Amino acid sequence: MDDPQPQPTSNISKWPGERVIFPVSRIDLRVTDAPHPYFSANRAQVAQNWAEEIAANPALFDGRMLLPRFVHIGDGAISGEAHIVSYSTFLLWRKTRPAASAIHLFGLPVILSADGAVIAIRMGGHTANPGRVYCAAGSLDPQDVRDGMCDLDGNMAREVLEETGLVLAEAVSVSGFHALHENGVIAVLRLYRFKETADTLIGRITAHIAGDPEPEIDEAFAIRDAAPERHAYPPFMPPILDWVFNNRP
């Protein structure tokens, strides 16, 4: 990993509209081990905010993750540069989401059952997203770096296995990449269709939760419509469900 060279900021004004799902032909997100400029400029605030976060939720862990400094979307590609930061740095950033300083990009594997349901999970009360319902996923971290680049497929497979026990390689079909963005956050998604019914998949996830000494999730759901009020979804989920159930080509 080389030291970063000066780069332009994210070309947000030229991106597709917010909450609009668009196809992605390739993802070229380079990783540098240089300090993230956002962290360098906000060290004291990161430490102060982290003290407040763990006072409210002592179960939080200040691990490492990847936070892009800038992202470009154009000609079907997503490209940019990411830095390895502490989770505490990200928690401060997400409170105000200054897109000129950083962009949060993550992979979102959308698991589809044989009978047409989207399989989602609810995050446990001890996590940073308590009670939120979405497809099993997590931020990119140093385990997801291959030859200096972010590996979205590896990230999706790892997160799904850790949270649900399901193996994405067992899917009978996999779509291409699509993405949407809102308020400085980019979700890159793929559809994974399994041969099992929703009941079978939910049963497998429930058994995984029961056998995990420190589960991140507390329940799994089979979602069969795009009603935004059905669960406590984060903002990216309703447009994805609408696309899956109503508008996908």
Side-chain angles (χ1 to χ4, degrees):
M1 300 181 193
D2 299 324
D3 289 338
Q5 300 299 314
Q7 297 285 353
T9 57
S10 304
N11 60 337
I12 294 176
S13 63
K14 299 180 181 179
W15 290 5
E18 288 197 341
R19 299 166 66 89
V20 174
I21 295 178
F22 57 93
V24 176
S25 59
R26 71 181 190 280
I27 299 164
D28 297 315
L29 197 60
R30 176 177 172 268
V31 181
T32 173
D33 52 9
H36 198 300
Y38 177 78
F39 170 74
S40 298
N42 295 278
R43 291 174 186 265
Q45 294 93 322
V46 167
Q48 179 180 347
N49 183 68
W50 178 245
E52 295 170 359
E53 294 279 359
I54 60 173
N57 185 357
L60 292 177
F61 173 66
D62 197 14
R64 298 193 303 163
M65 59 173 285
L66 302 180
L67 184 65
R69 178 174 129 202
F70 70 92
V71 173
H72 288 271
I73 300 176
D75 299 322
I78 294 178
S79 60
E81 183 176 82
H83 297 249
I84 299 172
V85 302
S86 62
Y87 190 61
S88 55
T89 298
F90 168 69
L91 287 183
L92 176 67
W93 175 87
R94 81 171 184 175
K95 283 192 170 181
T96 57
R97 303 192 183 187
S101 300
I103 296 289
H104 183 215
L105 182 148
F106 65 96
L108 187 78
V110 180
I111 294 176
L112 301 174
S113 67
D115 51 341
V118 169
I119 305 302
I121 53 85
R122 184 175 62 207
M123 298 301 294
H126 61 289
T127 67
N129 299 299
R132 289 289 199 172
V133 174
Y134 51 90
C135 298
S139 297
L140 289 154
D141 71 25
Q143 297 181 70
D144 306 317
V145 180
R146 301 288 181 273
D147 299 321
M149 306 294 290
C150 291
D151 176 11
L152 265 291
D153 282 319
N155 166 265
M156 292 182 186
R158 178 179 60 78
E159 290 287 348
V160 167
L161 181 62
E162 290 176 357
E163 293 185 0
T164 71
L166 301 181
V167 179
L168 289 185
E170 295 177 356
V172 295
S173 67
V174 182
S175 76
F177 287 114
H178 287 76
L180 79 163
H181 74 94
E182 183 177 35
N183 195 19
V185 176
I186 302 173
V188 180
L189 57 129
R190 261 189 158 161
L191 306 183
Y192 293 82
R193 186 174 294 278
F194 278 65
K195 64 182 179 181
E196 292 97 340
T197 65
D199 285 347
T200 299
L201 293 172
I202 296 297
R204 290 175 60 184
I205 297 171
T206 301
H208 177 78
I209 295 171
D212 188 341
E214 297 181 346
E216 291 186 65
I217 66 177
D218 60 20
E219 193 171 356
F221 300 92
I223 299 173
R224 300 183 183 276
D225 60 48
E229 71 279 1
R230 187 74 62 195
H231 296 286
Y233 296 125
F236 59 82
M237 276 300 289
I240 289 174
L241 294 174
D242 182 62
W243 179 70
V244 169
F245 289 117
N246 302 322
N247 297 303
R248 182 161 53 97

